[in-house]
Amino acid sequence: MNTITVKFGGTSLASAAQIQKAAAIIQADPARRYVVASAPGKRTKEDIKVTDLLYRCFNEAEDGEDFTGTLTKIHDRFADIIRELGVDFDLEGEIAVLKSHLEHKPSPDYMASRGEYMNSKIIAAYLGYTFIDAAEVIFFQENGALDEQRTYQTLSMRLMGEERAVVPGFYGSLPDGTIHTFSRGGSDVTGAIVARASASSLYENWTDVSGMLSADPRIVENPRVIDYITYTELRELSYMGASVLHEDAVFPVRKAGIPINIRNTNAPEDPGTMIVASLPAVTGRRTVTGIAGKKGFSSIHIEKSMMNSEVGFVAKLLKIFADEGLSFEHCPSGIDTISIVINTASFTPHRDAILHRIRQDLEPDVVAVEDGLALIAVVGQGMVYSKGTAAKIFAALAGSGVNIRMIDQGSSELNIIISVDELDFETSLRGIYHAMEGLMK
Ligand code: ASP
């Protein structure tokens, strides 16, 4: 039988009713053998995630404040779930352990991890699956990086012995046995690790949207859901602000060639988005997969006559940024001009030092900084095979009255990056989306 690893996010497990939906999904396919669970998330917009309550509890204890009100809130969230699901779970015992932990030397990671721990135990009891504590199978090195060898060895062995199991997301243990968490949203990473360790044929990531959207829905009305996207395209779009998965969740499954399917717990009939190594034939004629963008960039523009013949000029320029520990986004150049496009927030603290060194080391004719730029990436592996995509983008921007500040097409032709004034960002994104819509099918 093939194996599917399923991960459910916080909103998918925020209440007993949501957990019942998740259970129905799990039981609908016998291949869904391994379940990775998040802590209960928000039930409504105004609600507070259990993980946030746990961090709050830690902070209160650390500051010597009264944490009992917050701990009661956590207790009550789980009490409702247990009562409504009708499972047997020693909540009072677990809360007593938390209280005693908080009264001694509390650790933020230990506290935060208890949301996943308790929710997974409850879900395992409800499903009749084995509970596997992530602390026993997910290992970090001293520096906080995943100890891949130890994790995969231990976890694979453990899963081999379990027909069906629930593993809490988000945490594992350090060499000294204490609890350590991934960064926020890290249950996605645990899901990917479990999928790989169990040699799953598919990693299903169940959330509250029907897949990844081809543009930001706050800017573009009703953008298409992406049916298939490659890992590489996903990386480009995520980098430019499109978020659907924890960044580190791709690496474990990508290495093993396991596709990820983003699905909606509240609409399980929707096919969602498949994240794959290469696009299947059904997407054959599609040119563009998605569009994403971000504001908050600056461009450092440098001019010097005969720059082109000054050997080592660019190397010297880039070394200045490297010496300051800064990475940049783009570096378009002309014969006697070059610009460095960089995130304004990271550039600002180094601004004076960098401009000083550029003047001193490179003796340019002109050096000028322009802030307030936005970058938009049009991403699609199909662009390499088609003609006229750039022309359509530029015509759309001209039609919307937008002045393009920079154009950069990566040599892989996976993306076209356009820089515009921040004030033109939304108009540009909408204009480009509508011009590209036909190429996304
Ligand atoms: N519960 C954790 C968080 O809120 C981890 C997760 O849900 O993935 O960040």
Side-chain angles (χ1 to χ4, degrees):
M1 182 179 42
N2 70 334
T3 299
I4 298 174
T5 294
V6 290
K7 179 259 170 179
F8 288 88
T11 50
S12 299
L13 305 172
S15 64
Q18 286 299 97
I19 292 175
Q20 278 159 340
K21 283 188 201 169
I25 290 166
I26 295 164
Q27 284 154 355
D29 186 344
R32 292 180 176 133
R33 294 170 54 200
Y34 302 121
V35 180
V36 172
S38 277
K42 293 183 180 200
R43 292 160 295 185
T44 59
K45 249 198 168 134
E46 301 72 40
D47 204 5
I48 307 174
K49 289 172 112 185
V50 164
T51 309
D52 290 326
L53 289 173
L54 287 159
Y55 277 123
R56 186 195 289 176
C57 235
F58 164 79
N59 288 328
E60 288 166 347
E62 174 101 322
D63 296 345
E65 290 168 17
D66 179 15
F67 57 78
T68 48
T70 311
L71 193 58
T72 304
K73 283 202 175 93
I74 296 166
H75 169 278
D76 294 352
R77 289 275 323 247
F78 283 111
D80 285 350
I81 292 175
I82 294 161
R83 195 188 56 252
E84 289 171 41
L85 291 180
V87 293
D88 197 16
F89 180 77
D90 178 18
L91 181 61
E92 305 313 318
E94 297 287 358
I95 296 289
V97 173
L98 277 191
K99 186 159 178 284
S100 136
H101 177 81
L102 286 163
E103 282 162 355
H104 296 96
K105 238 177 129 250
S107 126
D109 284 19
Y110 174 81
M111 280 306 290
S113 72
R114 296 304 90 181
E116 271 67 17
Y117 173 81
M118 290 194 274
N119 216 23
S120 299
K121 264 191 155 172
I122 294 166
I123 293 164
Y126 185 65
L127 290 168
Y129 283 21
T130 305
F131 168 78
I132 299 178
D133 189 350
E136 295 167 12
V137 287
I138 306 266
F139 301 107
F140 294 97
Q141 299 165 20
E142 209 97 53
N143 63 7
L146 182 73
D147 183 340
E148 291 197 29
Q149 210 194 349
R150 192 170 166 219
T151 297
Y152 286 115
Q153 223 165 34
T154 314
L155 184 57
S156 303
M157 286 293 287
R158 186 67 201 272
L159 293 174
M160 240 189 280
E162 298 292 350
E163 186 60 28
R164 298 177 184 279
V166 181
V167 184
F170 191 36
Y171 73 95
S173 56
L174 287 166
D176 67 0
T178 54
I179 297 290
H180 182 69
T181 62
F182 291 106
S183 55
R184 295 299 303 265
S187 298
D188 283 342
V189 187
T190 312
I193 294 170
V194 170
R196 180 161 169 211
S198 59
S200 286
S201 57
L202 181 64
Y203 170 27
E204 288 179 347
N205 189 294
W206 291 83
T207 174
D208 53 4
V209 289
S210 288
M212 186 168 178
L213 297 172
S214 51
D216 186 339
R218 290 167 298 187
I219 301 171
V220 172
E221 210 182 312
N222 251 329
R224 285 174 62 85
V225 172
I226 298 174
D227 52 359
Y228 286 90
I229 184 168
T230 65
Y231 298 122
T232 330
E233 291 173 327
L234 174 72
R235 170 137 174 78
E236 295 282 342
L237 287 175
S238 307
Y239 188 74
M240 288 304 269
S243 75
V244 70
L245 264 188
H246 190 293
E247 225 196 328
D248 297 340
V250 169
F251 300 106
V253 284
R254 183 178 184 167
K255 266 196 200 158
I258 303 167
I260 308 172
N261 190 193
I262 309 286
R263 299 284 291 268
N264 189 348
T265 304
N266 302 318
E269 61 289 352
D270 290 350
T273 300
M274 279 293 246
I275 305 167
V276 291
S278 55
L279 296 176
V282 284
T283 60
R285 286 151 58 97
R286 191 179 75 193
T287 311
V288 171
T289 299
I291 297 160
K294 274 204 268 197
K295 292 182 182 178
F297 293 95
S298 299
S299 171
I300 300 124
H301 175 73
I302 297 155
E303 278 180 39
K304 185 174 186 184
S305 61
M306 306 304 283
M307 180 194 290
N308 195 30
S309 50
E310 193 177 321
V311 174
F313 185 91
V314 177
K316 273 193 259 172
L317 172 63
L318 297 186
K319 185 168 183 305
I320 296 173
F321 285 83
D323 288 347
E324 292 288 322
L326 290 180
S327 62
F328 61 91
E329 305 295 321
H330 299 281
C331 179
S333 64
I335 299 172
D336 289 335
T337 66
I338 187 161
S339 300
I340 303 278
V341 180
I342 189 165
N343 178 292
T344 308
S346 40
F347 172 58
T348 304
H350 304 266
R351 195 179 187 112
D352 293 342
I354 286 181
L355 295 181
H356 175 75
R357 271 196 64 193
I358 290 176
R359 288 196 187 97
Q360 198 176 50
D361 300 1
L362 303 174
E363 299 175 339
D365 301 330
V366 175
V367 50
V369 180
E370 188 184 13
D371 297 318
L373 296 174
L375 293 179
I376 298 173
V378 179
V379 176
Q381 282 192 334
M383 285 196 298
V384 71
Y385 306 110
S386 66
K387 298 186 190 83
T389 316
K392 288 197 180 83
I393 296 171
F394 303 143
L397 289 174
S400 311
V402 171
N403 181 18
I404 301 174
R405 313 305 298 269
M406 181 208 80
I407 302 158
D408 190 355
Q409 175 169 32
S411 48
S412 65
E413 284 194 52
L414 174 65
N415 58 18
I416 297 176
I417 312 250
I418 301 120
S419 165
V420 298
D421 193 295
E422 273 179 354
L423 297 172
D424 290 329
F425 178 63
E426 284 82 4
T427 313
S428 305
L429 208 97
R430 276 192 285 271
I432 295 175
Y433 180 83
H434 290 121
M436 294 294 102
E437 213 175 355
L439 303 178
M440 291 185 184
K441 296 194 179 109

